[in-house]
């Protein structure tokens, strides 16, 4: 036999073995179903255990969710939320037993929802009690730099979150605005731009912040260039065009991180909405001199303020054009807080829709906004009050779980860092789905139903089917184990 034929035989044998392995992937496996559903008591509740049976070719009349573990896509970095000043101040005002409950609810992988990702702010943001920086005015040398402000509330909360997460939390940091004296509008608020004379000083500021946090026992995994660089907000904000962000990265931020021994820190560009996502990604990543410093593109979900739906197709455009870069959801919350709406089911469904759409279009990490807010949806020094998955009533000492906490948990508890997305598709538009296979081999299939209908369907994997029913306004995670 010649060498070519032997290679052909080897490849065919490997393919046959792989196919055989996939063909029997669900043999002897069970499906454990966890459910959250409106008008029920189900909240991440274990509701049933299913068995697979031979099913064969589905008919068009049979609703199915099809899962194919033989094709894998992006690897999960983690899921989590932001540890802001507002979250830390609210946390500090709760009774000790409620603080412990919040930490367990978010960071315990078994009895909570297992957060593994975190974000915090450099300098103040709207979810701070007031504007602040870490240096004295006009100190371009940054000799006065200190994070003493953060040691009161934010640093202690982040440390406790890390401990509750088992000693490791993937943390990244984001600036909302440089100090006012570094900007052309002489204000941290209402947009404005970084003055060219202070570009290096501002980059050095990032480095000092990261080092100061790491000295406090808070490892920093990465950073974003600028929160919402195209938004002139009434709170802390700073504007960069695509070209300005590109040049800031390649001429200042990237080289400085490298020079300071921080080239391993993951640098994230954009950090704003999906609507301009491709335009910004192309502006930065089409320049190799800038792209070499960039780990990925961050995005938010607030493009809906223009009347648009969530624009998941823009994620797909970036993923297919720049496959060597990563997509990470860096912020989202439901705005216009009203305490009487804490039980509004739409809160969680917005999260479910975003997470399914984001993951199916290549996103590797997903970060909610504030993990905790008070009974006003704050504190927020400009009145931009919003919802968080958990609301801490600082007057009564009670905590309230919105259903968004449970919707997020259907992903974060069962889809762990290192999991790979696999194919998951539905033949009914009312059944939205995404699936991952974890490093331990367990498959997590998420199915969400935002309709008023109860829909019987089959989980179908390689000719085997497990039958169940999707309740109205529900989300389930089916764990194949």
């Amino acid at each position: 036999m010649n060498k070519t034929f032997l290679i052909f035989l080897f490849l065919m044998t490997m393919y046959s073995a792989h196919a055989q392995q996939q063909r029997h992937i669900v043999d002897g496996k069970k499906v454990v179903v966890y459910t959250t559903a409106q008008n029920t008591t189900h909240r991440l509740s274990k509701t049933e255990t299913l068995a697979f049976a031979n099913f064969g070719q589905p008919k068009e009349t049979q609703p199915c969710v099809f899962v194919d573990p033989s094709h894998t896509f992006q690897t999960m970095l983690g899921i989590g939320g932001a540890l802001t000043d507002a979250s830390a101040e609210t946390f500090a005002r709760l009774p000790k037993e409620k603080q412990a409950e919040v930490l367990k609810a978010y960071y315990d992988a078994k009895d909570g929802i297992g957060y593994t990702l975190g974000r915090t702010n450099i300098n103040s943001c709207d979810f701070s009690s007031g504007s602040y920086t870490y240096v004295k005015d006009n100190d371009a040398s940054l000799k006065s730099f200190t994070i003493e402000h953060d040691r009161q509330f934010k640093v202690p909360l982040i440390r406790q979150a890390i401990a509750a997460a088992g000693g490791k939390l993937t943390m990244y940091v984001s600036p909302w605005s440089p100090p006012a004296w570094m900007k052309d509008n002489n204000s941290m608020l209402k947009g404005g731009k970084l003055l060219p004379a202070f570009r290096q000083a501002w980059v050095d500021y990032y480095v000092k912040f990261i080092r100061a946090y790491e000295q406090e026992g808070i490892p920093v995994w990465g950073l974003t260039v600028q929160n919402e660089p195209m938004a002139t907000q009434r709170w802390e904000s700073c504007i960069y065009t695509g070209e300005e962000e590109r040049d800031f990265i390649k001429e200042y931020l990237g080289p400085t991180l490298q020079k300071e021994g921080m080239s391993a820190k993951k640098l994230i560009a954009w950090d704003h909405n999906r609507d301009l996502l491709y335009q910004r990604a192309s502006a930065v990543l089409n320049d190799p001199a800038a792209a070499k410093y960039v780990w990925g593109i961050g995005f938010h979900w607030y493009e809906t303020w223009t009347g648009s739906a969530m624009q998941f197709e823009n994620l797909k455009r970036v993923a297919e054009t720049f496959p060597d870069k990563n997509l990470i959801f860096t912020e989202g919350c439901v705005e216009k807080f009203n305490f009487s709406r804490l039980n509004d089911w739409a809160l969680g469904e917005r999260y479910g829709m975003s997470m399914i759409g984001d993951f199916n279009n290549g996103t590797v990490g997903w970060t909610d906004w504030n993990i905790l807010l008070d009974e006003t949806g704050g504190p927020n020094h400009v009145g931009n009050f919003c919802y968080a998955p958990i609301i801490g009533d600082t007057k009564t000492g009670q905590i309230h779980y919105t259903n968004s906490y449970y919707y997020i948990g259907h992903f974060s508890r069962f889809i762990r860092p290192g999991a790979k997305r696999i194919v998951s598709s539905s033949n009914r538009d009312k059944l939205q789905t995404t699936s991952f296979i974890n490093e331990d081999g367990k498959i997590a299939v998420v199915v969400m139903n935002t309709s008023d209908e109860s829909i019987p369907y089959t989980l179908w994997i390689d000719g085997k089917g497990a039958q169940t029913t999707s309740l109205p306004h529900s989300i389930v995670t089916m764990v194949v184990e």
Side-chain angles (χ1 to χ4, degrees), residues 44 78-80 103-117 164-165 168-169 405 408-409 411-417:
L44 267 174
I79 297 170
L103 290 170
K104 184 175 183 179
Y106 274 124
Y107 298 102
D108 191 298
K110 182 175 178 287
D111 297 320
I113 60 173
Y115 271 8
T116 55
L117 193 58
K168 182 184 178 185
L169 191 62
Y405 167 82
I408 296 169
F411 301 86
S412 59
R413 182 192 284 185
F414 304 105
I415 302 168
R416 305 300 295 164

Side-chain angles (χ1 to χ4, degrees), residues 288-362:
K292 69 180 181 180
Y293 296 114
V294 177
W295 173 85
I297 304 294
F299 64 94
H300 301 180
W301 73 15
Y302 308 112
E303 68 267 22
T304 53
W305 77 272
T306 64
S308 170
M310 293 184 180
Q311 296 183 286
F312 302 115
E313 282 290 310
N314 290 343
L315 303 179
K316 185 179 179 181
R317 295 287 89 81
V318 172
E320 63 192 6
T321 307
F322 306 103
D324 59 327
K325 301 300 181 184
N326 298 280
L327 287 165
I328 180 171
F329 183 88
T330 48
E331 185 187 316
C333 72
V334 179
E335 300 161 287
K336 300 180 181 178
F337 181 84
N338 183 333
F339 192 87
S340 66
R341 284 190 59 215
L342 286 187
N343 295 320
D344 189 338
W345 205 256
L347 296 176
E349 289 187 335
R350 181 166 180 178
Y351 279 84
M353 183 178 300
S354 178
M355 296 179 83
I356 289 171
D358 292 335
F359 290 136
N360 284 344
N361 287 282

Side-chain angles (χ1 to χ4, degrees), residues 125-130 234-236 335-337 376-386:
C125 64
D126 51 329
F127 281 93
S128 303
S129 291
R234 64 182 187 274
W235 53 86
E236 287 82 348
E335 300 161 287
K336 300 180 181 178
F337 181 84
T376 70
N380 186 293
H381 73 93
V382 291
N384 182 34
F385 302 119
C386 299

Side-chain angles (χ1 to χ4, degrees), residues 404-476:
S404 59
Y405 167 82
Y406 301 103
Y407 269 69
I408 296 169
H410 275 276
F411 301 86
S412 59
R413 182 192 284 185
F414 304 105
I415 302 168
R416 305 300 295 164
K420 291 185 180 294
R421 185 172 64 86
I422 56 178
V423 175
S424 188
S425 70
S426 167
N427 63 352
R428 295 294 186 273
D429 64 349
K430 291 174 182 174
L431 298 177
Q432 301 176 49
T433 181
T434 192
S435 296
F436 284 76
I437 184 165
N438 286 289
E439 289 182 314
D440 63 4
K442 291 181 181 179
I443 295 171
V445 183
V446 178
V447 178
M448 185 175 74
N449 175 4
T450 59
S451 80
D452 297 327
E453 299 177 29
S454 185
I455 306 172
Y457 69 100
T458 298
L459 172 63
W460 189 100
I461 303 179
D462 196 32
K464 302 291 180 71
Q467 297 184 346
T468 186
T469 297
S470 176
L471 298 176
H473 295 282
S474 70
I475 186 168
V476 301

Side-chain angles (χ1 to χ4, degrees), residues 271-292:
D271 198 6
H272 203 169
N273 298 330
R274 299 185 191 96
D275 50 4
L276 297 179
L277 183 77
Y278 185 83
Q279 186 273 333
R280 180 58 57 108
S282 62
V284 173
L285 299 179
N286 279 334
D287 185 334
K292 69 180 181 180

Side-chain angles (χ1 to χ4, degrees), residues 39-69:
N39 299 324
T40 72
T41 58
H42 301 327
R43 299 293 182 270
L44 267 174
S45 306
K46 184 177 176 180
T47 50
E48 59 181 335
T49 300
L50 311 176
F52 285 102
N54 291 329
F55 195 92
Q57 172 62 52
K59 298 176 182 177
E60 292 175 289
T61 54
Q62 295 173 309
C64 290
V65 169
F66 304 102
V67 174
D68 182 358

